[in-house]
PDB file of all heavy atoms in Angstrom:
ATOM      1  N   ALA A  37      11.868  -0.772 -22.842  1.00 93.00           N
ATOM      2  CA  ALA A  37      10.539  -0.546 -22.267  1.00 93.00           C
ATOM      3  C   ALA A  37       9.754  -1.845 -22.097  1.00 93.00           C
ATOM      4  O   ALA A  37       8.768  -1.878 -21.355  1.00 93.00           O
ATOM      5  CB  ALA A  37       9.750   0.425 -23.141  1.00 93.00           C
ATOM      6  N   TYR A  38      10.175  -2.896 -22.770  1.00 91.00           N
ATOM      7  CA  TYR A  38       9.486  -4.181 -22.679  1.00 91.00           C
ATOM      8  C   TYR A  38      10.173  -5.164 -21.737  1.00 91.00           C
ATOM      9  O   TYR A  38       9.767  -6.315 -21.659  1.00 91.00           O
ATOM     10  CB  TYR A  38       9.379  -4.830 -24.056  1.00 91.00           C
ATOM     11  CG  TYR A  38       8.468  -4.122 -25.022  1.00 91.00           C
ATOM     12  CD1 TYR A  38       7.784  -2.966 -24.676  1.00 91.00           C
ATOM     13  CD2 TYR A  38       8.291  -4.618 -26.298  1.00 91.00           C
ATOM     14  CE1 TYR A  38       6.950  -2.330 -25.575  1.00 91.00           C
ATOM     15  CE2 TYR A  38       7.455  -3.981 -27.205  1.00 91.00           C
ATOM     16  CZ  TYR A  38       6.790  -2.835 -26.831  1.00 91.00           C
ATOM     17  OH  TYR A  38       5.959  -2.215 -27.727  1.00 91.00           O
ATOM     18  N   VAL A  39      11.213  -4.731 -21.042  1.00 93.00           N
ATOM     19  CA  VAL A  39      11.969  -5.609 -20.148  1.00 93.00           C
ATOM     20  C   VAL A  39      11.647  -5.253 -18.696  1.00 93.00           C
ATOM     21  O   VAL A  39      11.669  -4.090 -18.316  1.00 93.00           O
ATOM     22  CB  VAL A  39      13.492  -5.473 -20.388  1.00 93.00           C
ATOM     23  CG1 VAL A  39      14.283  -6.279 -19.373  1.00 93.00           C
ATOM     24  CG2 VAL A  39      13.838  -5.912 -21.803  1.00 93.00           C
ATOM     25  N   MET A  40      11.335  -6.257 -17.905  1.00 93.00           N
ATOM     26  CA  MET A  40      11.054  -6.064 -16.489  1.00 93.00           C
ATOM     27  C   MET A  40      12.179  -6.699 -15.669  1.00 93.00           C
ATOM     28  O   MET A  40      12.573  -7.838 -15.944  1.00 93.00           O
ATOM     29  CB  MET A  40       9.720  -6.713 -16.120  1.00 93.00           C
ATOM     30  CG  MET A  40       9.312  -6.509 -14.680  1.00 93.00           C
ATOM     31  SD  MET A  40       7.812  -7.428 -14.222  1.00 93.00           S
ATOM     32  CE  MET A  40       6.668  -6.964 -15.500  1.00 93.00           C
ATOM     33  N   ILE A  41      12.683  -5.953 -14.686  1.00 95.00           N
ATOM     34  CA  ILE A  41      13.720  -6.468 -13.794  1.00 95.00           C
ATOM     35  C   ILE A  41      13.187  -6.416 -12.370  1.00 95.00           C
ATOM     36  O   ILE A  41      12.662  -5.392 -11.928  1.00 95.00           O
ATOM     37  CB  ILE A  41      15.012  -5.621 -13.878  1.00 95.00           C
ATOM     38  CG1 ILE A  41      15.519  -5.492 -15.316  1.00 95.00           C
ATOM     39  CG2 ILE A  41      16.086  -6.196 -12.955  1.00 95.00           C
ATOM     40  CD1 ILE A  41      15.968  -6.776 -15.964  1.00 95.00           C
ATOM     41  N   VAL A  42      13.324  -7.504 -11.634  1.00 94.00           N
ATOM     42  CA  VAL A  42      12.948  -7.568 -10.227  1.00 94.00           C
ATOM     43  C   VAL A  42      14.210  -7.885  -9.441  1.00 94.00           C
ATOM     44  O   VAL A  42      14.885  -8.882  -9.715  1.00 94.00           O
ATOM     45  CB  VAL A  42      11.877  -8.654  -9.973  1.00 94.00           C
ATOM     46  CG1 VAL A  42      11.535  -8.737  -8.502  1.00 94.00           C
ATOM     47  CG2 VAL A  42      10.634  -8.396 -10.814  1.00 94.00           C
ATOM     48  N   LEU A  43      14.545  -7.025  -8.485  1.00 95.00           N
ATOM     49  CA  LEU A  43      15.740  -7.206  -7.655  1.00 95.00           C
ATOM     50  C   LEU A  43      15.309  -7.375  -6.211  1.00 95.00           C
ATOM     51  O   LEU A  43      14.680  -6.488  -5.633  1.00 95.00           O
ATOM     52  CB  LEU A  43      16.671  -5.998  -7.806  1.00 95.00           C
ATOM     53  CG  LEU A  43      17.940  -5.982  -6.959  1.00 95.00           C
ATOM     54  CD1 LEU A  43      18.813  -7.205  -7.248  1.00 95.00           C
ATOM     55  CD2 LEU A  43      18.713  -4.697  -7.208  1.00 95.00           C
ATOM     56  N   LYS A  44      15.630  -8.519  -5.631  1.00 93.00           N
ATOM     57  CA  LYS A  44      15.262  -8.825  -4.248  1.00 93.00           C
ATOM     58  C   LYS A  44      16.523  -9.053  -3.430  1.00 93.00           C
ATOM     59  O   LYS A  44      17.395  -9.823  -3.836  1.00 93.00           O
ATOM     60  CB  LYS A  44      14.399 -10.081  -4.182  1.00 93.00           C
ATOM     61  CG  LYS A  44      13.091  -9.976  -4.920  1.00 93.00           C
ATOM     62  CD  LYS A  44      12.342 -11.286  -4.867  1.00 93.00           C
ATOM     63  CE  LYS A  44      11.114 -11.246  -5.739  1.00 93.00           C
ATOM     64  NZ  LYS A  44      10.440 -12.540  -5.786  1.00 93.00           N
ATOM     65  N   GLY A  45      16.609  -8.401  -2.283  1.00 92.00           N
ATOM     66  CA  GLY A  45      17.754  -8.565  -1.407  1.00 92.00           C
ATOM     67  C   GLY A  45      17.387  -9.343  -0.155  1.00 92.00           C
ATOM     68  O   GLY A  45      16.220  -9.618   0.112  1.00 92.00           O
ATOM     69  N   SER A  46      18.416  -9.696   0.603  1.00 92.00           N
ATOM     70  CA  SER A  46      18.262 -10.432   1.867  1.00 92.00           C
ATOM     71  C   SER A  46      17.549 -11.768   1.662  1.00 92.00           C
ATOM     72  O   SER A  46      16.777 -12.211   2.505  1.00 92.00           O
ATOM     73  CB  SER A  46      17.517  -9.583   2.901  1.00 92.00           C
ATOM     74  OG  SER A  46      18.202  -8.379   3.130  1.00 92.00           O
ATOM     75  N   ILE A  47      17.817 -12.418   0.537  1.00 84.00           N
ATOM     76  CA  ILE A  47      17.231 -13.721   0.218  1.00 84.00           C
ATOM     77  C   ILE A  47      18.287 -14.795   0.475  1.00 84.00           C
ATOM     78  O   ILE A  47      19.387 -14.714  -0.079  1.00 84.00           O
ATOM     79  CB  ILE A  47      16.803 -13.785  -1.268  1.00 84.00           C
ATOM     80  CG1 ILE A  47      15.853 -12.649  -1.620  1.00 84.00           C
ATOM     81  CG2 ILE A  47      16.219 -15.142  -1.617  1.00 84.00           C
ATOM     82  CD1 ILE A  47      14.522 -12.695  -0.937  1.00 84.00           C
ATOM     83  N   PRO A  48      17.996 -15.775   1.292  1.00 75.00           N
ATOM     84  CA  PRO A  48      18.963 -16.857   1.501  1.00 75.00           C
ATOM     85  C   PRO A  48      19.150 -17.677   0.215  1.00 75.00           C
ATOM     86  O   PRO A  48      18.183 -18.211  -0.314  1.00 75.00           O
ATOM     87  CB  PRO A  48      18.338 -17.723   2.588  1.00 75.00           C
ATOM     88  CG  PRO A  48      17.185 -16.964   3.111  1.00 75.00           C
ATOM     89  CD  PRO A  48      16.797 -15.940   2.080  1.00 75.00           C
ATOM     90  N   ILE A  49      20.358 -17.704  -0.301  1.00 63.00           N
ATOM     91  CA  ILE A  49      20.663 -18.492  -1.493  1.00 63.00           C
ATOM     92  C   ILE A  49      22.016 -19.172  -1.331  1.00 63.00           C
ATOM     93  O   ILE A  49      22.805 -18.799  -0.474  1.00 63.00           O
ATOM     94  CB  ILE A  49      20.650 -17.633  -2.779  1.00 63.00           C
ATOM     95  CG1 ILE A  49      21.636 -16.475  -2.680  1.00 63.00           C
ATOM     96  CG2 ILE A  49      19.268 -17.139  -3.089  1.00 63.00           C
ATOM     97  CD1 ILE A  49      21.765 -15.680  -3.964  1.00 63.00           C
ATOM     98  N   ALA A  50      22.299 -20.113  -2.219  1.00 53.00           N
ATOM     99  CA  ALA A  50      23.525 -20.887  -2.091  1.00 53.00           C
ATOM    100  C   ALA A  50      24.582 -20.558  -3.144  1.00 53.00           C
ATOM    101  O   ALA A  50      25.749 -20.513  -2.828  1.00 53.00           O
ATOM    102  CB  ALA A  50      23.199 -22.373  -2.146  1.00 53.00           C
TER     103      ALA A  50
END
Side-chain angles (χ1 to χ4, degrees):
Y38 292 0
V39 174
M40 183 186 309
I41 306 295
V42 178
L43 177 59
K44 298 177 187 175
S46 302
I47 305 294
I49 57 174

